[in-house]
Amino acid sequence: MALLPILRYPDPRLHKKAVAVSEVDDSVRKLIADMAETMYEAPGIGLAATQVDAHQRVVVIDISEDKSKLLALVNPEILARSGEQVCEEGCLSVPGIYEKVTRSERVAVRALDARGAPFELEADGLLAVCIQHEIDHLDGKVFVEHLSRLKQSRIRARLAKQARITA
């Protein structure tokens, strides 16, 4: 396994749409393992392949306290949404920024697992938020794009300032 570099907003590669995985083979399983290691090290609770400049429809999520429930979603697709919740979100590609975003409270999802087997999952609460957030990445959208233009401008300025300080 290897740690992968995480793209930082506003990197244009974060807006590239991921392509469907045609076959879950050893290269996809290696990507899943590397993404999981990267997510845990960051630390985070979700990571989309787009964020590590691998533009395939692959997501890893683990919202457990002890990091023991890794969920890999290959070619995830939201089948149904219901309800509404406002949750403060952060993102490994937008470090140090947390903002309230409105998302569906519940989602039903279809995907392939790391073996290539299809499955469906119903999620609510934090898991539902995380799934929607990561699928947005696969579609080339970063969570800050759910915010007003003014907030987006302020976030870009803050990240540019952070980059200058650490450079």
Side-chain angles (χ1 to χ4, degrees):
M1 292 192 296
L3 290 178
L4 304 170
I6 298 172
L7 300 177
R8 294 204 167 192
Y9 180 79
D11 191 308
R13 293 171 291 179
L14 288 169
H15 294 100
K16 189 172 178 181
K17 279 193 86 157
V19 297
V21 171
S22 56
E23 178 189 357
V24 180
D25 58 13
D26 287 343
S27 70
V28 173
R29 283 186 280 278
K30 180 179 181 345
L31 176 61
I32 290 168
D34 290 348
M35 286 173 58
E37 183 179 2
T38 302
M39 174 186 71
Y40 289 134
E41 180 69 24
I45 60 171
L47 187 66
T50 300
Q51 293 175 269
V52 293
D53 203 20
H55 301 280
Q56 300 177 65
R57 295 192 74 79
V58 177
V59 165
V60 294
I61 295 171
D62 190 342
I63 62 168
S64 68
E65 288 291 322
D66 62 355
K67 306 300 179 204
S68 65
K69 293 188 172 45
L70 180 66
L71 175 63
L73 301 157
V74 179
N75 297 337
E77 170 186 6
I78 295 178
L79 304 173
R81 301 171 184 265
S82 63
E84 189 176 277
Q85 64 180 324
V86 176
C87 191
E88 188 169 79
E89 293 186 29
C91 181
L92 296 176
S93 291
V94 193
I97 305 295
Y98 300 91
E99 291 287 341
K100 291 186 186 316
V101 176
T102 302
R103 302 259 188 201
S104 298
E105 186 177 9
R106 287 172 298 285
V107 294
V109 181
R110 176 175 38 223
L112 302 175
D113 66 16
R115 296 180 320 275
F119 70 97
E120 290 187 9
L121 167 73
E122 289 192 14
D124 61 7
L126 180 58
L127 182 56
V129 167
C130 200
I131 288 169
Q132 293 169 84
H133 178 111
E134 300 309 334
I135 289 176
D136 270 1
H137 276 300
L138 299 180
D139 294 334
K141 190 170 188 177
V142 180
F143 90 99
V144 297
E145 291 159 12
H146 286 279
L147 307 173
S148 70
R149 292 260 186 239
L150 177 62
K151 280 191 176 181
Q152 289 179 45
S153 295
R154 287 181 178 162
I155 289 168
R156 271 195 216 86
R158 193 161 141 200
L159 291 173
K161 183 178 179 182
Q162 284 175 3
R164 284 192 305 273
I165 290 169
T166 58

